[in-house]
Amino acid sequence: MKQPWAWYIAGPLVGLTVPVLLIVGNKSFGISSSLRHICASCVPANIPFFKYDWKKEAWNLFFVFGIFLGGVMAVNLLSNPAPIEVNPKLAQELAGYGITDYNNLIPEDIINWQSLFTIKGFILMVVGGFLVGFGTRYAGGCTSGHTIMGLSNLQLPSLIATISFMIGGFIMANLILPIILSL
């Protein structure tokens, strides 16, 4: 349990959530809609986007809470105290950007409260967070909803969204992120 699961075990388990959700409750897999449900239940504003019967989608909130709870349990019971293993070539490249600490999944060299108030930190955390939220809303769902649920249902918009996610990820990782990290 403390080692990563092989792709041929983890992949089918994730993939099986789609038919289970459809067969058991005629529900769609996706995470981003849970934020809308939370806002609809907590924000008393008269905003049309939040005026719907969010209680019919309460299962999604339990699902997201289960993901959170699973993450807490994994960190407390199954975490590996060893530093993250990074390919030596990647470590050398990252060292050029000032990233040398691999004790956590997210490099604290760039993602921390102090760097939030720098240009690089602001772009990575605030602008990046805004773009992820905007993209999720613009695409009509998140990567898990489109790629796992939408593709399994052979939906053309999900195929287009997934291709866009991949192209955007390649462009970001190979062209834009090095520029941001060098700031």
Side-chain angles (χ1 to χ4, degrees):
M1 289 295 284
K2 290 192 175 194
Q3 299 299 320
W5 290 10
W7 64 268
Y8 49 84
I9 294 174
L13 286 175
V14 171
L16 286 173
T17 60
V18 172
V20 167
L21 283 171
L22 287 172
I23 292 169
V24 171
N26 197 26
K27 304 292 183 192
S28 294
F29 178 78
I31 303 300
S32 60
S33 58
S34 61
L35 181 59
R36 181 181 182 206
H37 304 323
I38 291 169
C39 290
S41 67
C42 297
V43 178
N46 196 15
I47 302 171
F49 184 69
F50 296 130
K51 288 188 150 201
Y52 67 96
D53 189 9
W54 62 269
K55 293 176 185 173
K56 288 184 179 179
E57 302 297 329
W59 73 271
N60 189 264
L61 299 177
F62 288 105
F63 182 74
V64 171
F65 180 72
I67 292 172
F68 171 77
L69 192 61
V72 169
M73 290 171 53
V75 165
N76 289 313
L77 302 175
L78 303 174
S79 64
N80 185 349
I84 305 300
E85 293 180 28
V86 177
N87 184 295
K89 289 181 183 178
L90 177 61
Q92 183 179 3
E93 182 180 343
L94 291 175
Y97 299 120
I99 302 169
T100 57
D101 182 9
Y102 305 112
N103 290 322
N104 297 302
L105 290 174
I106 300 173
E108 288 188 23
D109 295 325
I110 54 170
I111 305 295
N112 60 52
W113 286 107
Q114 292 79 20
S115 67
L116 175 61
F117 301 105
T118 65
I119 299 275
K120 178 178 17 177
F122 184 82
I123 291 172
L124 287 173
M125 291 183 260
V126 177
V127 175
F130 172 79
L131 289 174
V132 167
F134 175 80
T136 300
R137 179 70 181 115
Y138 185 73
C142 60
T143 53
S144 60
H146 279 299
T147 305
I148 297 171
M149 187 72 189
L151 289 182
S152 66
N153 287 325
L154 303 176
Q155 296 177 0
L156 180 61
S158 291
L159 177 62
I160 294 167
T162 301
I163 291 170
S164 300
F165 298 149
M166 295 302 294
I167 292 170
F170 290 137
I171 291 170
M172 181 63 193
N174 294 296
L175 302 176
I176 301 172
L177 186 60
I179 295 169
I180 295 171
L181 290 176
S182 63
L183 293 176

